[in-house]
């Protein structure tokens, strides 16, 4: 005897039967409890024997009673994925003096400024030795002779007035959260709907790394929970 569908209570024939969460469903009836999006065995999430999509899966703190085999399987899979990403990042940055995440556009600008200041001090010392230390070097009337004008400019100009070319080379990526998210691992970050995520770096199609502007916390976050601003 053919069973009945858990959604519409009609008979389910073998050609259209889905057996999941200890129940039987029509393929078209196996959908999210909230948005009614049709699900498959690859993208569903079960909670209290009801199917949900990834975006509307109930956010709960698992207790000993709620730690079902399905939840334990998802937790183990997430942990294994995090370990793989950490290992790949470690191998890419092995032997470097700094990590890829710490090498921000701001750090690059500061390094460039320090190099310019070092060049200025070097030429000032050279001119003082050349003139016998009696007077500071005079700025040449013709930029093509002696020290270039860009070198004798003050350090404050380089520190507080970066050129437009420097700013245009390093655009800041900003995203806005469209759902609430609670971190499942120590390397992830929690946020609320509407939070702005800055300093975002893409890890793969499903995950990215960024900092929550409201809390200042940073870590990994799912890419389908945010949208570009």
């Amino acid at each position: 005897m053919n069973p009945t569908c858990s959604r519409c209570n009609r008979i389910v024939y073998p050609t259209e039967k889905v057996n999941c969460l200890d129940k039987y469903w029509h393929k078209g009836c196996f959908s999210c409890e909230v948005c009614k999006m049709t699900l498959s065995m690859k993208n569903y999430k079960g909670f209290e024997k009801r199917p949900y999509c990834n975006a509307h899966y109930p956010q709960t703190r698992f207790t000993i009673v709620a730690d079902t085999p399905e939840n334990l399987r998802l937790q183990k899979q997430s942990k294994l994925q995090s370990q793989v990403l950490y290992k790949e990042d470690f191998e890419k940055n092995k032997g470097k003096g700094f990590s890829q995440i710490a090498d921000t556009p701001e750090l690059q600008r500061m390094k460039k400024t320090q190099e310019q200041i070092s060049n200025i001090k070097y030429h000032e010392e050279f001119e003082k030795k050349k003139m016998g230390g009696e007077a500071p070097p005079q700025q040449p009337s013709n930029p093509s002779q002696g020290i270039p004008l860009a070198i004798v400019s003050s350090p404050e100009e380089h520190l507080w007035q970066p050129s437009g070319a420097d700013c245009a080379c390093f655009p800041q990526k900003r995203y806005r959260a469209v759902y609430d998210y609670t971190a499942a691992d120590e390397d992830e970050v929690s946020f609320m709907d509407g939070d702005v995520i800055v300093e975002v770096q893409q890890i793969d199609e499903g995950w990215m790394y960024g900092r929550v502007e409201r809390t200042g916390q940073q870590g990994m976050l799912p890419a389908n929970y945010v949208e570009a601003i």
Side-chain angles (χ1 to χ4, degrees), residues 36-51:
K36 307 304 179 184
M37 180 182 74
T38 302
L39 303 173
S40 66
M41 298 298 292
K42 295 182 179 180
N43 63 357
Y44 85 96
K45 286 189 175 182
F47 181 76
E48 294 183 353
K49 294 188 178 182
R50 295 180 180 272

Side-chain angles (χ1 to χ4, degrees), residues 73-194:
R73 183 185 67 81
L74 293 173
Q75 184 178 1
K76 183 178 180 181
Q77 182 179 358
S78 177
K79 186 175 181 180
L80 290 175
Q81 184 178 6
S82 298
Q83 292 176 349
V84 170
L85 292 175
Y86 278 140
K87 185 176 181 180
E88 290 179 355
D89 184 68
F90 175 78
E91 292 296 331
K92 289 180 181 178
N93 296 282
K94 184 183 294 184
K96 295 183 180 180
F98 53 90
S99 65
Q100 186 176 0
I101 297 175
D103 195 11
T104 61
E106 181 65 19
L107 182 59
Q108 292 285 353
R109 186 185 68 81
M110 292 177 63
K111 288 181 179 180
K112 186 175 181 180
T113 302
Q114 291 296 329
E115 291 177 0
Q116 292 173 343
I117 295 175
S118 298
N119 289 332
I120 292 171
K121 291 183 177 180
Y122 170 78
H123 285 281
E124 286 179 352
E125 293 294 331
F126 176 78
E127 289 297 324
K128 285 181 180 180
K129 292 180 180 179
K130 184 178 180 182
M131 301 298 293
E134 296 177 357
Q138 299 294 327
Q139 179 173 326
S141 58
N142 187 354
S144 63
Q145 300 176 358
I147 306 171
L149 292 177
I151 295 179
V152 299
S153 59
S154 64
E156 288 76 13
E157 180 181 353
H158 294 282
L159 287 173
W160 301 104
Q161 298 180 3
S163 63
D166 291 340
C167 299
C169 292
F170 305 103
Q172 293 290 331
K173 295 182 180 180
R174 296 169 62 88
Y175 288 77
R176 179 183 292 109
V178 294
Y179 302 106
D180 294 345
Y181 182 75
T182 302
D185 284 319
E186 294 180 356
D187 60 335
E188 298 179 5
V189 63
S190 302
F191 52 83
M192 299 177 63
D193 185 7

